[in-house]
Amino acid sequence: MKLTPLDAPGYEKVVYAEDEASGLKSIIAVHSTKLGPAAGGCRMFAYPDFESAKIDALRLSKGMTYKNAAASLPLGGGKSVIIADPKTQKTPELMQAFGRFVESFEGMYTTAEDVGISVEDIEEAAKYTSHAAGLNKGAFASGDPSPVTARGVYLSCVAAAKHAFGHGDLEGKIIALQGLGHVGMYLAEHLHAAGAQLIVSDINASSVAKARQAFSARSVAPNDIYDVEADIFAPCAMGAILNADTISRLNVKLVCGAANNQLADDAAGDALMARGILYAPDYVVNGGGIISVSTEILKITDEKWVDQKLEQLAVTTDKILTKAKAQNASPHKVADQFVDEILAQ
């Protein structure tokens, strides 16, 4: 396996790995270990080019520093990406090679599931590294973090709804949900149970069909989800989807979803505010997954610990939105300030 350090100012360690035997092409980016060893999932995606993969790895890694800090976890920020199509190029040998790559960081980074990666995939990687979490087996195994992520987003959505609508009751609210992967589908369950009306989109037709049947959801084409008239937009797919073009098309009062790095840039957060759309900062509301995985990393045995941490996400969301309103500031900037203060301490 060939390991190539990558130049990334402001990051502690970024490495590209290429393994000819398995076909692995992967980047691990460690942004910060100030609060503890870095932790963050692995994403497998058919990136159009190497630069796109690197940018995503760096954005996701920094996002994990902020997510872990916002969730009050003693963990730093790191992330990994595998440049491959998860439907056609994933093999046990490739995941095992990825495990060896993770192990080369000697505990500086712990991996877990993310887009395109299942519990079974991580268990293949875990055959060659002791720094993998989100497993089904083991003394502290936490399993698939997706349901926990979804629950945290739901609780935070209720908290954010109080600011957007004056109450947290989601019954009758129309929610445009983008992405029906592991987290998106679980979130749809919560929202449907709360009485919300769902409009869904996904590139996977079978997932759309499942949501239509299970939740009486209406569906639209993936690119049309930005144009529907709804109360809440819940992005649960890829990042950087909130930009000048898509924000101008939104007809909602609140954005709250599970996707990482939803804002294409800082200007996107300001643009949402200018349009009177409340934004619940993604790395705050979607911290449930890393909370679940951290029980494995930190060897937590208290059964109430995860529930308490998830409830705290909603409290933190409320605090940030309250402060943003008081300061007439964009919530994403208030959230960044909140985490920067934690890191400074």
Side-chain angles (χ1 to χ4, degrees), residues 9-345:
Y11 288 73
E12 293 185 16
K13 186 175 183 179
V14 182
V15 179
Y16 171 64
E18 191 165 340
D19 182 65
E20 185 175 349
S22 66
L24 176 72
K25 294 180 179 180
S26 176
I27 300 170
I28 294 178
V30 173
H31 174 255
S32 171
T33 57
K34 182 174 287 188
L35 296 180
C42 172
R43 172 171 295 185
M44 183 180 289
F45 188 72
Y47 294 98
D49 51 57
F50 176 80
E51 192 61 25
S52 298
K54 179 182 175 182
I55 290 172
D56 203 28
L58 295 179
R59 282 171 57 85
L60 289 166
S61 176
K62 184 176 181 179
M64 287 307 303
T65 295
Y66 281 69
K67 182 185 297 190
N68 292 338
S72 300
L73 298 174
L75 296 170
K79 203 79 173 184
S80 52
V81 300
I82 295 175
I83 307 170
D85 186 331
K87 294 181 180 179
T88 61
Q89 295 178 289
K90 186 191 298 177
T91 64
E93 292 75 19
L94 185 144
M95 293 309 304
Q96 290 164 16
F98 173 68
R100 294 196 297 273
F101 181 28
V102 172
E103 189 65 18
S104 73
F105 275 65
E106 300 179 331
M108 186 182 190
Y109 166 70
T110 296
T111 193
E113 297 85 355
D114 195 3
V115 174
I117 296 293
S118 67
V119 175
E120 292 73 22
D121 297 329
I122 290 297
E123 287 179 339
E124 287 294 338
K127 293 177 180 178
Y128 289 88
T129 181
S130 57
H131 305 291
L135 306 175
N136 277 333
K137 302 172 185 177
F140 298 92
S142 59
D144 183 5
S146 303
V148 188
T149 302
R151 189 163 158 235
V153 173
Y154 169 72
L155 293 174
S156 297
C157 189
V158 170
K162 295 176 183 177
H163 291 266
F165 309 111
H167 60 84
D169 186 0
L170 299 182
E171 185 170 4
K173 288 286 183 284
I174 301 174
I175 301 178
L177 197 158
Q178 179 191 48
L180 292 165
H182 293 299
V183 176
M185 195 66 81
Y186 282 118
L187 179 59
E189 287 184 17
H190 286 290
L191 297 173
H192 177 68
Q197 300 175 36
L198 298 179
I199 303 173
V200 302
S201 71
D202 194 280
I203 58 174
N204 189 325
S206 63
S207 296
V208 172
K210 178 181 177 181
R212 286 175 63 94
Q213 182 176 12
F215 313 124
S216 301
R218 179 162 68 90
S219 63
V220 297
N223 189 50
D224 294 338
I225 194 70
Y226 303 105
D227 303 305
V228 302
E229 187 172 348
D231 298 295
I232 301 170
F233 176 50
C236 297
M238 300 299 285
I241 50 88
L242 292 172
N243 52 50
D245 172 56
T246 58
I247 291 171
S248 68
R249 296 162 59 188
L250 292 178
N251 190 8
V252 298
K253 289 291 185 182
L254 170 64
V255 173
C256 182
N260 289 310
N261 300 326
Q262 295 167 23
L263 302 177
D265 48 35
D266 277 345
D270 295 334
L272 285 170
M273 184 178 176
R275 290 209 56 213
I277 301 173
L278 186 64
Y279 173 66
D282 51 37
Y283 63 75
V284 178
V285 308
N286 68 12
I290 192 61
I291 288 172
S292 175
V293 166
S294 69
T295 62
E296 205 165 338
I297 299 172
L298 304 173
K299 297 179 171 53
I300 302 292
T301 57
D302 184 353
E303 295 180 357
K304 297 180 180 179
W305 191 83
V306 169
D307 289 339
Q308 292 169 347
K309 285 289 186 182
L310 290 180
E311 291 167 3
Q312 189 59 42
L313 291 182
V315 171
T316 300
T317 298
D318 177 67
K319 286 181 178 179
I320 288 171
L321 295 182
T322 298
K323 189 172 183 179
K325 182 179 180 180
Q327 296 181 346
N328 192 29
S330 299
H332 76 287
K333 291 181 178 177
V334 174
D336 286 353
Q337 183 183 31
F338 172 78
V339 172
D340 288 339
E341 289 173 358
I342 293 174
L343 295 173
Q345 294 171 6

